[in-house]
């Protein structure tokens, strides 16, 4: 019990000495904390602003693997500062590509696997996040990224096939609809229509016309979307940068100043003890 009590007294005495030691150097601690906050303010004034924006792209052909490949390719070029090749891929000058600091592609599927079995197209959303120091290039960067998606060989081949097929469907539908209209005029001319001479239900002509109209409309819609890469939402040009943030830099500077001052005072005290 006496030993335990003696240890407690020693720890309390040690804690009091440490507090008194740092209190006696309070001005030095405050000075370094102030210098740290000043450095944070200086960093805020000198560091280039970095902006963030997102765009959403829809594809009924490309998969998550391709999105990851795009992100890896562009990020690798940014890391090695190969802005000439980065600009070539994004169809923009290298000096503009040099302002891009991050490109990330996130793949999202809005339907579960069981639901996807009930739809014709397997649609995938790609959320493209970029960080850059010059927000004025966002419209040009948006077009460059879309073209980068569309210039994939598989996408171009499938888009060409889809366009040819839908044009053929539209052409065939127009031809059949003209034939149906001609047949209607022949059958329903005034005084010419006789039910005993008709070997089918005339209502089928109207039903066939409706089906062909719907088929043509769907083919026309698919033809307009034949590229397989569609912009859902473009980049937004924000006025406030993502980084740097004044409060964050000021707090970080204060912490660095506080830790530095405590470290310096601790080392100074240990050196003093070592010499004595």
């Amino acid at each position: 019990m006496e030993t335990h009590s003696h240890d407690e007294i020693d720890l309390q005495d040690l804690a009091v000495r440490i507090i008194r030691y740092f209190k006696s150097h309070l001005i030095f601690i405050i000075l370094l904390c102030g210098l740290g906050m000043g450095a944070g303010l200086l960093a805020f004034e000198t560091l280039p602003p970095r902006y963030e924006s997102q765009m959403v792209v829809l594809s009924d052909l490309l998969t998550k693997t391709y999105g990851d490949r795009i992100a890896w390719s562009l990020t690798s070029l940014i890391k090695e500062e190969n802005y000439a090749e980065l600009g070539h891929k994004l169809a923009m000058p290298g000096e503009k590509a040099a302002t891009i600091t991050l490109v990330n592609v996130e793949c999202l599927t809005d339907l579960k696997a069981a639901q996807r079995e009930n739809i014709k197209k397997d649609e995938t959303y790609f959320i493209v996040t970029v960080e850059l120091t010059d927000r004025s290039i966002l419209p040009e960067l948006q077009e460059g990224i879309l073209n980068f998606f569309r210039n994939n060989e598989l996408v171009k081949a499938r888009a060409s096939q889809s366009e040819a097929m839908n044009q053929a469907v539209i052409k065939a539908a127009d031809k059949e609809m003209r034939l149906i209209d001609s047949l209607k005029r022949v059958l329903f001319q005034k005084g010419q229509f006789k039910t005993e001479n008709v070997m089918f239900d005339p209502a089928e002509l109207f039903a066939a016309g409706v089906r062909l109209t719907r088929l043509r409309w769907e083919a026309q819609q698919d033809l307009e979307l034949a590229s397989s890469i569609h912009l859902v939402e473009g980049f937004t040009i924000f006025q406030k940068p993502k980084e740097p943030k004044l409060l964050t830099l000021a707090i970080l500077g204060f912490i660095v100043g506080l830790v530095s001052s405590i470290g310096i005072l601790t080392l100074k005290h240990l050196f003093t003890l070592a010499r004595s």
Side-chain angles (χ1 to χ4, degrees), residues 89-270:
K89 286 184 177 295
L90 298 177
M92 63 171 53
E95 57 271 17
K96 290 185 178 181
T99 65
I100 305 171
T101 59
L102 174 71
V103 177
N104 183 54
V105 181
E106 182 183 4
C107 174
L108 295 178
T109 52
D110 60 333
L111 296 175
K112 296 181 180 179
Q115 296 172 310
R116 286 181 175 276
E117 296 177 356
N118 299 323
I119 62 176
K120 293 193 301 180
K121 296 184 178 180
D122 193 20
E123 295 180 338
T124 302
Y125 290 90
F126 295 92
I127 301 177
V128 183
T129 303
V130 298
E131 293 182 8
L132 65 173
T133 57
D134 182 8
R135 63 177 183 266
S136 66
I137 72 166
L138 280 173
E140 188 175 355
L141 177 60
Q142 177 176 299
E143 290 302 315
I145 292 176
L146 285 174
N147 289 331
F148 189 42
F149 272 92
R150 288 168 180 160
N151 284 335
N152 177 272
E153 292 301 324
L154 176 62
V155 171
K156 290 192 291 186
R158 289 291 295 273
S160 178
Q161 293 172 359
S162 177
E163 182 178 356
M165 181 189 70
N166 286 303
Q167 287 177 344
V169 170
I170 292 173
K171 185 177 180 180
D174 288 341
K175 180 179 179 181
E176 294 299 323
M177 289 172 68
R178 286 194 298 268
L179 291 174
I180 290 176
D181 289 340
S182 298
L183 185 58
K184 286 180 182 177
R185 286 193 296 269
V186 171
L187 291 177
F188 297 102
Q189 282 181 352
K190 186 176 181 181
Q192 300 271 337
F193 179 67
K194 296 181 179 180
T195 56
E196 62 271 14
N197 296 327
V198 178
M199 304 300 295
F200 65 94
D201 185 358
E204 283 296 321
L205 287 177
F206 297 98
V210 171
R211 289 195 297 269
L212 286 172
T213 300
R214 177 176 297 176
L215 179 63
R216 190 190 188 285
W217 181 84
E218 291 177 351
Q220 183 64 43
Q221 186 181 43
D222 290 341
L223 181 62
E224 294 173 357
L225 302 177
S227 68
S228 296
I229 303 295
H230 314 292
L231 179 65
V232 178
E233 182 179 354
F235 287 128
T236 301
I237 303 178
F238 295 103
Q239 298 301 316
K240 292 184 178 181
K242 177 187 177 183
E243 293 178 352
K245 293 183 179 179
L246 178 59
L247 180 60
T248 301
L249 291 175
I251 293 175
L252 182 60
F254 175 82
I255 294 174
V256 171
L258 179 63
V259 173
S260 299
S261 62
I262 293 175
I264 292 172
L265 291 174
T266 302
L267 290 174
K268 178 184 175 182
H269 183 67
L270 292 176

Side-chain angles (χ1 to χ4, degrees), residues 39-81:
L41 177 60
L42 180 63
F44 177 77
E45 295 293 337
T46 56
L47 288 175
R50 190 165 65 172
Y51 300 89
E52 181 183 71
S53 190
Q54 291 184 331
M55 66 183 290
V56 182
V57 177
L58 174 64
S59 174
D60 56 16
L61 177 62
L62 299 180
T63 62
K64 181 180 184 300
T65 302
Y66 182 72
D68 293 340
R69 180 68 183 179
I70 287 180
W72 176 85
S73 175
L74 299 180
T75 301
S76 298
L77 291 174
I78 293 172
K79 287 181 178 179
E80 67 181 27
E81 299 182 357

